[in-house]
Amino acid sequence: WVQEEAPDVLCLQETKCAASAVPAELRELPGLPHQFWSSAKDRPGYSGVGLLARTEPLDVTYGIGDPEHDVDGRVLTAEFPSLFVVCAYVPNAGRGLVRLEPRLRFDAAFLQFLRRLDARKPVLLCGDLNVAHAEIDLCHPRANRASAGFTPQEREGFSRLLGAGFADSFRHLYPEARGAFTFWTYLGGARARNVGWRLDYAVVSRRLLGALCDCKIRSAVQGSDHCPVTALLAL
């Protein structure tokens, strides 16, 4: 599927894999020779992100400059001539919201990081942001108001991101689209019934909206409890 899609940049989240253990079929993926991997320090099989690029970035940075969160290997940033591409796996607030406070601290620190980047050049943020922003973004909003990913605090955090000069590219293009989900639990045949959540996003600096051609949710692509999201920009 990746070869058919032929992305210029491929962002992967929740890789659960140290750089030294990346499978050969990924290492040798045609067309994406420039590969960068970040994993959780001293926590094998936890978190992790990867960024693969067709052309070599000008620079690549790891983390957001926050010691509390950078040990988890959640953010990779590649600088290209016309924009920054940020690959992110935002923390989950956890069952019973046991990690809600650390999650909210991450949101605040991450927003400041993105604003610093945006002050230099436009940003494309790709990743599992672990939040369904509005009721339209999950199948059963009423039953999930106290669930991780749909708490008022997490939703407000995403609203603050949008208010800081960023746009949710899919919702910008398809404001009324329903049933547009990117995650389905493996339990109960949720994917077959499209009982899902939209947790994965392509967020852009608002001044990139003129270059935004499309944002597609590739819901037919199997292989995970999430599906890919493709952002198309003319740069």
Side-chain angles (χ1 to χ4, degrees):
W1 178 82
V2 173
Q3 292 182 56
E4 290 175 0
E5 192 76 352
D8 292 303
V9 180
L10 176 66
C11 296
L12 304 171
Q13 298 85 38
E14 201 174 2
T15 54
K16 301 184 176 182
C17 183
S20 59
V22 172
E25 59 265 34
L26 263 179
R27 286 286 191 195
E28 299 162 7
L29 203 58
L32 295 168
H34 306 284
Q35 302 190 9
F36 309 91
W37 305 93
S38 183
S39 57
K41 185 178 180 182
D42 301 325
R43 296 187 71 179
Y46 180 75
S47 189
V49 291
L51 188 150
L52 293 71
R54 186 172 301 275
T55 60
E56 187 173 6
L58 302 174
D59 189 30
V60 174
T61 57
Y62 296 76
I64 61 175
D66 186 310
E68 178 185 3
H69 305 290
D70 286 352
V71 295
D72 287 345
R74 294 187 175 276
V75 179
L76 272 172
T77 302
E79 180 181 359
F80 295 96
S82 56
L83 81 170
F84 290 103
V85 177
V86 180
C87 173
Y89 173 43
V90 171
N92 191 304
R95 188 179 299 275
L97 304 179
V98 294
R99 289 188 47 79
L100 180 59
E101 289 306 317
R103 157 63 190 265
L104 299 179
R105 291 197 296 272
F106 177 92
D107 282 354
F110 191 39
L111 177 55
Q112 293 306 309
F113 171 76
L114 294 172
R115 293 180 74 163
R116 290 194 298 271
L117 292 180
D118 188 53
R120 295 169 55 194
K121 63 175 64 172
V123 173
L124 167 62
L125 163 62
C126 300
D128 177 358
L129 305 189
N130 258 319
V131 62
H133 184 223
E135 292 192 355
I136 197 174
D137 294 317
L138 72 166
C139 190
H140 296 306
R142 187 172 298 179
N144 283 288
R145 297 198 187 281
S147 297
F150 198 60
T151 63
Q153 300 96 315
E154 292 165 299
R155 296 168 66 191
E156 287 163 10
F158 193 82
S159 294
R160 282 192 292 273
L161 172 63
L162 300 184
F166 297 91
D168 172 354
S169 60
F170 179 82
R171 199 51 81 193
H172 173 80
L173 294 168
Y174 305 103
E176 305 299 328
R178 295 186 173 275
F181 306 133
T182 67
F183 165 80
W184 305 263
T185 177
Y186 284 127
L187 302 175
R191 188 161 187 170
R193 297 183 293 120
N194 200 29
V195 178
W197 298 56
R198 191 169 71 97
L199 301 178
D200 304 88
Y201 295 80
V203 172
V204 296
S205 298
R206 293 198 67 85
R207 63 190 186 279
L208 277 181
L209 286 175
L212 178 64
C213 301
D214 209 344
C215 180
K216 292 292 190 183
I217 293 174
R218 305 300 198 189
S219 55
V221 178
Q222 301 290 323
S224 170
D225 51 359
H226 292 252
C227 75
V229 176
T230 302
L232 302 167
L233 293 96
L235 297 171

